[in-house]
Amino acid sequence: MYKVAVLPGDGIGTEIVDSALAVLDAVAESHKFLISYEKALFGGAAYDEYGNPFPEETLEIVNRSDAILLGAVGGPKWDEVERTLRPESGLLSIRKKLGLYSNIRPVKYFPILAEKVAWKPENLEGVDLVIFRELTGGAYFGEKGRNGDQAYDTISYSKEEIRRIVKDAFEMAMKRKKLLHSIDKANVLETSRLWREVVLEVAKEYPEVQVEHQYVDNAAFQLIINPRQYDVVVTENMFGDILSDEAASIAGSLGMLPSASLGGEINLYEPAHGSAPDIAGQDKANPIATILSAAMMLRTSFNEDQAAKAIEDAIENVLAKGFATGDIAGKDSTIVGTIEFTEKVCEEIRSN
Ligand code: NAD
């Protein structure tokens, strides 16, 4: 029995997580495994109940699980809450507490969504890349504060923090095309110079992997004009945050990008997007990123490769039949809500 801690969070979190659970139930039945869920409050919803976005009660449920499925957190309701108690700080603390230093974001171009991508579809054909974003260091975790009229955030990395994620990225490169792009700002930042040194050191252990270094400003440009050059990309926390949202434009919507946060004994799976307060509670959210995150969970935490593939195929088939949520609908699409899209994916799984 696989035990999953389910943290729906805020905004569209509940809707997209319910979708993913329905799909997991369908695939558990068709692939004959048992899975159980324990739900807990997280983010703004937990702050409202316990005055803390990641309360003890939630940590207990997380600690007795094998993996975590998370929706999204945040929203205007909590904008005025003190920084350390804001919903988003729950994310930082769960990552830190569980040692989830490696955030993996696969980005794929779906030709069926060609109308929705902002870039020339002919540049995107065949794009299939994975971004490794360091998740527990850098500016988001460094010392920060105010000094009169001044504010500061500190970017700090140790060699070990860099080495472990760079190694993970090399391992993935070995399983894929043996090509690794490391993104930094070594012409300006000392942490980036250390980053590059470590990449060069680790590269000696992987002589078969071709390593390319790019400055982040150039990478932001290259990702749009020539994304096919990338296969595995590794970068620090803030650069990865920005580049992976940029890469979402390749997939047509933020609602298409899953992610896995790894490195601990209990790993976490969540969509790359936020709580989308503008569409929350309206049955408009695209559940694909969360459903694909659940597929990553099956593959990575539970070794259920075939079940994961069944989910990915079902999504492609439903899209190919022309069903889409509003954010990815083209002129010939049949627009459906979150619930109906989910039902179509479940039907597809049951019929195969
Ligand atoms: P967002 O990702 O929530 O939304 C950006 C835009 O994309 C919105 O127009 C939204 O409607 C759309 N969108 C996002 N996901 C979608 C989906 N599944 N289907 C259809 N459309 C979708 O980012 P934001 O508006 O900058 O932030 C909203 C809140 O989410 C903030 O409080 C922010 O701090 C929080 N946030 C949380 C996470 C997380 O939980 N991991 C990540 C980013 C932002």
Side-chain angles (χ1 to χ4, degrees):
M1 168 81 80
Y2 307 131
K3 286 187 289 180
V4 181
V6 177
L7 315 182
D10 310 313
I12 60 170
T14 314
E15 299 163 71
I16 53 179
V17 160
D18 281 349
S19 293
L21 298 186
V23 171
L24 282 171
D25 282 339
V27 84
E29 200 181 322
S30 65
H31 286 69
K32 312 234 173 307
F33 60 83
L34 295 174
I35 187 161
S36 70
Y37 315 112
E38 207 173 352
K39 280 194 182 175
L41 295 176
F42 189 69
Y47 174 79
D48 288 349
E49 181 76 19
Y50 300 106
N52 179 348
F54 184 30
E56 251 334 280
E57 288 78 357
T58 300
L59 179 61
E60 273 172 30
I61 290 178
V62 161
N63 277 338
R64 55 174 180 258
S65 70
D66 303 316
I68 307 159
L69 183 67
L70 186 118
V73 299
K77 184 177 173 194
W78 302 281
D79 275 354
E80 301 309 318
V81 173
E82 189 227 320
R83 180 177 53 80
T84 57
L85 294 176
R86 282 177 61 118
E88 295 80 359
S89 72
L91 285 175
L92 300 188
S93 93
I94 197 169
R95 289 166 186 166
K96 200 76 178 176
K97 245 182 199 136
L98 299 180
L100 307 175
Y101 65 83
S102 178
N103 184 236
I104 301 177
R105 297 185 173 189
V107 180
K108 240 175 108 168
Y109 171 61
F110 291 83
I112 187 100
L113 305 183
E115 272 175 61
K116 294 305 287 185
V117 295
W119 325 119
K120 286 188 191 150
E122 58 269 31
N123 283 351
L124 301 179
E125 205 63 56
V127 170
D128 180 358
L129 60 97
V130 187
I131 299 176
F132 278 67
R133 166 189 167 196
E134 201 290 326
L135 205 55
T136 52
Y140 298 176
F141 288 90
E143 195 193 322
K144 50 187 85 242
R146 294 276 175 121
N147 218 337
D149 282 349
Q150 249 191 339
Y152 60 92
D153 299 282
T154 318
I155 305 177
S156 161
Y157 271 108
S158 70
K159 270 189 149 183
E160 188 42 40
E161 282 174 316
I162 302 169
R163 189 187 323 274
R164 61 190 183 181
I165 183 152
V166 165
K167 247 181 124 53
D168 290 350
F170 269 102
E171 287 292 328
M172 179 65 86
M174 285 299 287
K175 289 189 204 141
R176 293 176 52 114
K177 292 187 183 160
K178 300 195 166 97
L179 171 65
L180 178 73
H181 280 80
S182 171
I183 312 295
D184 62 35
K185 188 73 184 165
N187 49 346
V188 179
L189 297 177
E190 201 52 42
T191 40
S192 280
R193 278 194 273 276
L194 182 68
W195 184 278
R196 206 175 267 220
E197 264 172 52
V198 174
V199 171
L200 289 170
E201 265 172 41
V202 178
K204 291 185 193 136
E205 297 166 36
Y206 298 90
E208 288 170 62
V209 176
Q210 181 191 337
V211 181
E212 302 287 342
H213 301 275
Q214 265 177 7
Y215 295 138
V216 63
D217 41 352
N218 180 32
F221 173 66
Q222 296 288 336
L223 197 54
I224 287 167
I225 59 158
N226 183 15
R228 261 198 300 255
Q229 70 186 286
Y230 300 108
D231 190 55
V232 179
V233 175
V234 64
T235 190
E236 64 97 71
N237 201 342
M238 185 162 62
F239 297 162
D241 193 7
I242 297 167
L243 290 178
S244 59
D245 265 30
E246 184 188 339
S249 62
I250 291 169
S253 164
L254 271 173
M256 300 295 292
L257 242 61
S259 88
S261 299
L262 310 179
E265 276 172 30
I266 304 166
N267 291 319
L268 183 149
Y269 303 84
E270 61 174 323
H273 59 73
S275 60
D278 51 334
I279 55 164
Q282 299 169 40
D283 192 35
K284 284 184 178 166
N286 181 348
I288 293 178
T290 317
I291 298 173
L292 289 177
S293 303
M296 288 180 85
M297 175 175 78
L298 290 181
R299 185 174 281 121
T300 312
S301 285
F302 305 141
N303 288 321
E304 291 284 353
D305 285 19
Q306 286 179 0
K309 176 89 170 49
I311 292 177
E312 290 155 359
D313 289 349
I315 285 174
E316 295 233 12
N317 290 344
V318 173
L319 290 174
K321 287 178 182 170
F323 297 104
T325 45
D327 59 314
I328 51 170
K331 58 181 184 330
D332 298 325
S333 307
T334 309
I335 299 184
V336 291
T338 315
I339 295 172
E340 197 178 343
F341 189 88
T342 306
E343 280 164 5
K344 303 259 176 231
V345 176
C346 293
E347 276 165 29
E348 199 67 40
I349 289 171
R350 290 195 191 99
S351 66
N352 281 308

